[in-house]
Amino acid sequence: MKLFYVPNEAIEGDQLGPHTVFKRMVAQGELSDYQAYPLNLRIEQLGLETAQAQILAQIQQQQPDLIVISKFTVPHQVKGMVKAWRQAAPGSFIAYHDGDPYGLLLVRLPGSAKDVIREVDAVFTVGLGQQRELFQFLGARRVEYTPSWTDTIRFGHDTSTTKECDVVLFGRYSQIRRLKIPFPGAAQRLQLVRLLQKEYGEGMRVYGGGYPEDVKTFGVVPYAEQERENRKARVTVSWNHFPKTPYYYSDRLPIALISGMPHVTNAFPGHAQVFADCPGVYFAQTPAEAQRIIKELLQKSDAELAAEGEGARQWVFKNLTADVVMPRVIRRMIQLRSA
């Protein structure tokens, strides 16, 4: 099977997890060939027509059996683009993968993504319920669930043990600008941050922007440095957006768990199934409940917390890394192509 990957990249090669996994699958003989073209980035650099011509030529030359498109966000209409790829490589199975949640009214998919979704064979999404219904409404032929993951290139290697604070939270306070209202779940995130900072003072560190002036933040940390900052805390916490979307969670959750300490977050429908046997992860229905769980955890010894955290870390390695999740996506595409 020959695979062609269309990553969503701001810097070429920064989708380290999938690139590494796909190259490994070639080396192990599970794929016969792997090529990639960062279309979003090339459109910014070269313009729409040149980038489209280049990717079409590369697909025609490789003749892939499978094409994976990741999160298409360019501000252009691209109706017919995927159909042209299919004509250039007859028999190819084309899938769209997106790791973010959306809605009809609040956080909308760009028009370019809608053009792509209508023309692919399957959409792989990190949430079900209204998320699946949205993609079906937009014309997706098939919608498949795949969990959010983290990569083992940037994360899972830090072993530092120096603790500088009690709790760390990564995440900005986000609003929908045109409506001047918080993202779904953002108000509860702000409430949780205020509760924890009132209780722990500077022992509660928040990384992210957009918060009101009464919230003390520690700035914005580069993506790859989250694990380092997580490990400075005894417990990590998050509050994900879109809490009514079944099975959804941000990739900050597996990043926190692979950092190696207990993690407290908000409960979504389906979390009980996804994380049924994962140690060290705690789900709360309300910010006040999350505060209570954190208080109970912080009464444990560092050794007890470290044991739970190591269990969570090993669980993520086995279940929620790109090394595990992306091969499943490829194998599912092969099944669907053969059906």
Side-chain angles (χ1 to χ4, degrees):
M1 287 283 169
K2 293 183 286 186
L3 172 64
F4 190 87
Y5 179 42
V6 187
N8 176 31
E9 297 181 327
I11 301 172
E12 188 165 359
D14 69 2
Q15 288 294 332
L16 292 171
H19 285 305
T20 302
V21 169
F22 297 151
K23 290 175 183 177
R24 184 182 302 131
M25 292 178 75
V26 172
Q28 294 173 345
E30 192 166 357
L31 293 173
S32 59
D33 185 42
Y34 167 61
Q35 294 184 28
Y37 186 93
L39 181 58
N40 288 355
L41 180 59
R42 290 289 183 266
I43 289 174
E44 290 182 10
Q45 295 171 336
L46 307 173
L48 180 64
E49 291 186 7
T50 300
Q52 282 187 315
Q54 286 187 353
I55 193 171
L56 182 61
Q58 191 170 340
I59 289 171
Q60 193 163 26
Q61 184 274 328
Q62 187 202 21
Q63 289 295 301
D65 302 290
L66 310 170
I67 300 175
V68 177
I69 308 164
S70 179
K71 194 174 175 63
F72 204 68
T73 59
V74 299
H76 302 281
Q77 294 299 306
V78 292
K79 184 177 180 180
M81 180 181 70
V82 172
K83 289 181 180 179
W85 298 356
R86 198 186 306 278
Q87 292 171 354
S92 59
F93 188 92
I94 306 175
Y96 180 84
H97 176 273
D98 201 314
D100 288 322
Y102 300 96
L104 283 173
L105 300 177
L106 297 179
V107 181
R108 301 175 182 173
L109 276 159
S112 56
K114 295 176 184 178
D115 290 339
V116 170
I117 286 165
R118 294 185 183 104
E119 297 179 0
V120 298
D121 298 297
V123 173
F124 286 83
T125 174
V126 294
L128 294 178
Q130 62 185 18
Q131 182 85 336
R132 168 181 275 168
E133 293 168 2
L134 171 63
F135 287 126
Q136 291 173 333
F137 175 79
L138 294 175
R141 303 178 192 178
R142 175 184 290 270
V143 181
E144 300 266 330
Y145 171 73
T146 187
S148 293
W149 46 263
T150 186
D151 70 74
T152 55
I153 309 302
R154 289 169 286 199
F155 304 108
H157 308 293
D158 196 325
T159 58
S160 59
T161 57
T162 301
K163 301 301 180 183
E164 299 180 2
C165 61
D166 294 307
V167 188
V168 160
L169 180 145
F170 275 90
R172 64 180 288 110
Y173 177 67
S174 299
Q175 292 184 307
I176 300 168
R177 294 179 181 177
R178 69 181 187 278
L179 300 177
K180 296 182 180 181
I181 61 173
F183 268 40
Q188 290 77 15
R189 178 182 292 178
L190 176 59
Q191 181 185 355
L192 177 59
V193 166
R194 283 173 167 157
L195 286 172
L196 295 176
Q197 288 200 336
K198 181 178 180 180
E199 181 159 1
Y200 300 107
E202 294 198 4
M204 162 60 181
R205 293 185 179 179
V206 179
Y207 292 96
Y211 287 94
E213 292 183 359
D214 65 293
V215 174
K216 180 175 181 180
T217 66
F218 285 74
V220 177
V221 171
Y223 183 80
E225 296 180 15
Q226 291 177 74
E227 182 178 16
R228 184 192 66 189
E229 298 305 320
N230 280 334
R231 289 192 64 85
K232 293 178 181 178
R234 299 185 70 219
V235 173
T236 59
V237 61
S238 64
W239 197 272
N240 284 289
H241 292 145
F242 294 90
K244 294 183 180 180
T245 301
Y247 293 90
Y248 171 69
Y249 54 87
S250 164
D251 64 350
R252 294 190 192 279
L253 199 163
I255 291 171
L257 292 175
I258 208 171
S259 299
M261 64 279 304
H263 184 71
V264 182
T265 189
N266 52 326
F268 280 54
H271 280 178
Q273 289 76 36
V274 175
F275 297 93
D277 59 345
C278 178
V281 61
Y282 297 84
F283 295 105
Q285 297 293 335
T286 65
E289 184 182 10
Q291 180 188 26
R292 177 185 58 77
I293 294 171
I294 291 166
K295 187 172 184 177
E296 292 174 357
L297 284 170
L298 290 174
Q299 292 173 359
K300 297 183 179 183
S301 68
D302 285 345
E304 290 175 306
L305 295 177
E308 285 193 37
E310 181 60 23
R313 181 173 175 270
Q314 294 302 326
W315 187 90
V316 173
F317 275 118
K318 293 177 182 178
N319 295 278
L320 290 186
T321 67
D323 309 72
V324 176
V325 175
M326 293 312 296
R328 288 178 183 165
V329 170
I330 298 305
R331 292 164 194 153
R332 180 59 177 156
M333 289 176 64
I334 293 171
Q335 289 179 342
L336 294 172
R337 181 177 182 270
S338 301

